Amino acid sequence: MKTKNRVKELRVAKGHDSQREFANFITNTLGCPVSYATISKLEKQTANPTWEIVDTLAGYFGVTTDYLMGRTNQNLAVAAHTDDNIADDLPPEAKIAVDTFYNKMRALYGKNNGTGENN
């Protein structure tokens, strides 16, 4: 199944006009060895990237891996915090808003696995 090509869209949006320059940036700055040919194939959707490349690109672009690879149109990353005191310095109405959001995300993405399927 062909998916929306987000690698090129995000690369250009970050100011990397050249695939070759972008490959050098990813290799030298982010420490993930990738060739120009690999970037080209990713953008043409003629190759499956390694997990390391997908993870590195998603982190750099600030998107989820599913969004990057076109598996979803929603770029929603949910962070799970174990620190129960994280909102202690918030006013009561803000704590309620945070709790409401957290509960909606748990309901949407499941209790533990983050896959969107409830356990």
Side-chain angles (χ1 to χ4, degrees):
M1 176 174 94
K2 286 284 185 185
T3 57
K4 181 172 175 59
N5 189 333
R6 294 202 172 96
V7 176
K8 181 177 182 179
E9 172 185 305
L10 293 166
R11 171 180 61 83
V12 172
K14 279 279 201 178
H16 300 281
D17 295 325
S18 158
Q19 292 175 338
R20 189 172 312 278
E21 176 272 325
F22 184 59
N24 288 335
F25 173 82
I26 296 298
T27 300
N28 299 325
T29 306
L30 302 181
C32 179
V34 64
S35 69
Y36 151 75
T38 299
I39 297 297
S40 177
K41 289 176 183 177
L42 283 174
E43 291 184 2
K44 292 178 183 174
Q45 298 175 319
T46 58
N48 293 320
T50 65
W51 171 248
E52 181 183 16
I53 292 171
V54 172
D55 187 48
T56 299
L57 292 177
Y60 174 65
F61 292 131
V63 299
T64 64
T65 54
D66 283 348
Y67 179 81
L68 179 70
M69 300 310 298
R71 292 180 56 186
T72 181
N73 289 326
Q74 294 179 337
N75 180 27
L76 179 64
V78 178
H81 297 283
T82 58
D83 183 356
D84 291 334
N85 300 324
I86 198 158
D88 281 350
D89 59 341
L90 295 175
E93 62 275 10
K95 288 180 183 180
I96 292 170
V98 169
D99 286 341
T100 301
F101 175 77
Y102 176 74
N103 290 332
K104 285 181 182 180
M105 292 301 103
R106 275 189 86 179
L108 181 63
Y109 289 99
K111 288 184 179 179
N112 297 316
N113 62 11
T115 62
E117 298 175 9
N118 288 324
N119 294 331

